[in-house]
Amino acid sequence: MRILFDCRYTRIGRHDGISRYTAGLVTALAKLHPVTMLISDHRQLDLLPDLPWEIIPAPTSVGEPWVARTVNRLRPDVVFTPMQTMGGFGRKYRLVLTVHDLIYYRHPTPPRDLPAFVRGLWRLYHLAWWPQRLLLNRSDAVVTVSETTKGLIAEHRLTKRPVHVVPNAADMPELAPGRAERTAAESRSLVYMGSFMPYKNVDTLVRATALLPDYTLHLMSRVTDAERRRLTELAPGARIVFHDGASDEDYAETLAAATALVTASHDEGFGIPLVESMTLGTPVVVSDIPIFREIGGEAALYFDADAPEQLAARIRHLEDDGVWAARSAAARAQAARYTWDASAERLLTVLEGVASR
């Protein structure tokens, strides 16, 4: 079975969520079966494993609907892509697409770094369900990252194809032996990793921090000057540190020393930061939405996304005797459910099944 893995969504220089999913999954899959990567820029190889590769046009090119003409020449049995938009007109191979979430149907603002014409198509695409159905039904199978999203796909009848769950995982460094089994937080600090798009609801985190004057909120991602000013003015009493794009090392160190990872999102497709935090044994305090219940399980603490006072109360609860240590241990146990090796085994089963039809 010849497997091609579409790695064209790998970022240049630094991972985002889909890029990290791509790199983690293709690395683990290659341990189980030979894989050839598809890239669109040689610089993507810096963030990918040392595997055979072929270069094809970028997924945002106007010729993407007909990219199968190029891929056909590579004679794959099956192609896996970590997105749902790979073109398939005229393909002579099996195709497995991925749907990470349905967030942008409720929040249709596209990512700012896409070309203008792609942003326009993005908005049009998310105004109706039929384009998604058209794409997914042209595949042989669909992968998604959570049972929550699988349920939403069924609810909206997005495809007649079989849908399989291949979860995300995390890449975090191991802590030094003396820190691995911490029984108390090393600092009164809170960490948020994620964008500042409206549905991420960072406002609630800032307002809650203002109710916790002895805590500092670390915002790890890149932020515009306008958003920095807005959040600072939102709750002048809140102690906030803007890292404006922390390195992986800075992020891991800040998270390992924190009291908790916090997020107040109204929607998510998975929640990689939860797994990253739990892997390090740092408790997670998150909004009470279905996907966080799936990923955080009994290890997480939950609050109403629009109730900063509830979030503040959950943080104070972690100060009670033995609570932080218990949540830390539960977090590590929950995180052990999410590994790239386990996800790769699931994916290989899907690919074998599709290829054998």
Side-chain angles (χ1 to χ4, degrees), residues 180-182 278 281-283 299 323-335:
E181 300 293 332
R182 306 183 313 287
M278 293 189 299
T282 299
V323 172
W324 195 95
R327 290 291 172 177
S328 176
R332 289 192 297 271
Q334 182 72 6

Side-chain angles (χ1 to χ4, degrees), residues 38 58 85 87 132 140 173 233 275 345 354:
L38 299 177
T85 53
Q132 181 94 282
D140 295 289
E233 294 168 0
V275 181
E345 289 178 3
V354 166

Side-chain angles (χ1 to χ4, degrees), residues 131-147:
Q132 181 94 282
R133 292 190 182 104
L134 182 64
L135 281 175
L136 298 183
N137 283 330
R138 291 181 60 253
S139 70
D140 295 289
V142 175
V143 159
T144 190
V145 295
S146 68
E147 293 292 342

Side-chain angles (χ1 to χ4, degrees), residues 5-11 15-25 81-84 98 100-101 104 122 168 272 340:
F5 196 118
D6 185 4
C7 296
R8 295 175 298 158
Y9 294 92
T10 305
R11 302 285 283 188
H15 285 308
D16 63 5
I18 292 176
S19 177
R20 206 175 287 276
Y21 183 75
T22 297
L25 198 51
T81 176
M83 284 287 280
Q84 70 267 51
T98 303
H100 287 265
D101 57 65
Y104 290 106
W122 178 291
N168 253 306
I272 292 176
W340 291 124

